[in-house]
Amino acid sequence: MLNALYQNLDPVAFSLGPLVVRWYGIAYVLGFVCAALVIWRLARRWRVSVDADALLTIMLCVIIGIILGGRLGYVLFYGNGYYLAHPLEILAFNKGGMSFHGGLIGALLSGIVAARLTGIPYLTLADMGCVAAPLGLLFGRLANFVNGELWGAPTDLPWGVVFGGMAGEMPRHPSQLYEALLEGVVIFCVLFALSRRLPPRPRGTFLGVFLILYGCFRFLVEFVREPDAQLGYLWGGWLTMGQLLSVPLVVVGIAVLVYAVRMKEPQQGLPEMKQI
């Protein structure tokens, strides 16, 4: 314990009178801003027609989808019956509780609306969104660490972190940082590198790779992440809800990637180009 690392970060970034700005909220804003910039740059590189109005439409649809999907996903996947007895709490966003898997489903569904409104092929839009998404995951997981939430299992490794509070005084895996590295940095680097190829890889390639990588990384990190207290382990002393929800992502990702490779549909609006 003498060499333990203590997390004493303040979840509140700053306050102005009654206005309190938290790092978690800043993470969401940064994630959406960076996503918009990445989509804008990719659209120009891939020669997909995305003007300012189309970009605003895309981002509004995705923001709504992520927030509603993330909240409903948490209620359904992690509520453990609590919200059936307290339905008004479903709208209590200020008390926390968001699910990535629910947010992903919400983003994919809202992408259908955005694709129809902008005229961009759905898989092209999903591909661009998947290249941008890891940056949001990076900021979100860093905010989880600052909040001292979603901590890992106890560990005696030298980088174990003491979060205090409900996490107790034992060092724990900083699983939030593991996820920030794998789900944020690694996935972004892989997808960004793939996106540099011209002409771009077929529609659906990036969606498939994202689902596979995220599902695998999340499944692995769950081994050193403390399960949600209201659920615990679902089976065998190791299976968590996060792992259960991640398996379908890998399966769907493989199916999408196979479809992309077989169909070889080009991204929208690209004339023949030399590969560089």
Side-chain angles (χ1 to χ4, degrees), residues 203-221:
R203 291 182 200 168
T205 300
F206 300 88
L207 174 60
V209 173
F210 174 83
L211 293 176
I212 293 170
L213 290 180
Y214 180 87
C216 290
F217 289 155
R218 178 66 181 270
F219 192 93
L220 292 174
V221 172

Side-chain angles (χ1 to χ4, degrees), residues 44-107:
R44 292 183 62 186
R45 182 172 177 79
W46 291 359
R47 298 188 182 177
V48 178
S49 180
V50 177
D51 57 18
D53 289 339
L55 184 63
L56 180 60
T57 298
I58 293 167
M59 295 312 301
L60 285 176
C61 289
V62 171
I63 289 171
I64 293 172
I66 288 176
I67 292 176
L68 292 181
R71 182 58 176 174
L72 292 177
Y74 182 82
V75 169
L76 294 174
F77 301 144
Y78 297 95
N80 197 30
Y82 174 81
Y83 294 97
L84 292 176
H86 306 84
L88 294 180
E89 291 291 308
I90 294 175
L91 301 177
F93 286 89
N94 61 312
K95 295 184 179 180
M98 297 286 282
S99 163
F100 167 80
H101 296 88
L104 175 62
I105 294 172

Side-chain angles (χ1 to χ4, degrees), residues 133-210:
L135 295 177
L137 286 169
L138 170 62
F139 294 128
R141 295 309 183 193
L142 292 177
N144 290 148
F145 181 80
V146 172
N147 285 350
E149 60 191 4
L150 306 182
W151 53 77
T155 181
D156 57 1
L157 292 172
W159 56 82
V161 176
V162 177
F163 291 95
M166 295 181 65
E169 296 300 317
M170 72 284 287
R172 292 179 175 274
H173 284 283
S175 55
Q176 312 97 324
L177 301 184
Y178 300 166
E179 292 188 79
L181 175 62
L182 294 174
E183 301 167 7
V185 177
V186 173
I187 295 181
F188 176 74
C189 288
V190 170
L191 294 180
F192 183 76
L194 291 175
S195 74
R196 301 298 294 172
R197 178 181 180 271
L198 289 178
R201 299 173 192 277
R203 291 182 200 168
T205 300
F206 300 88
L207 174 60
V209 173
F210 174 83

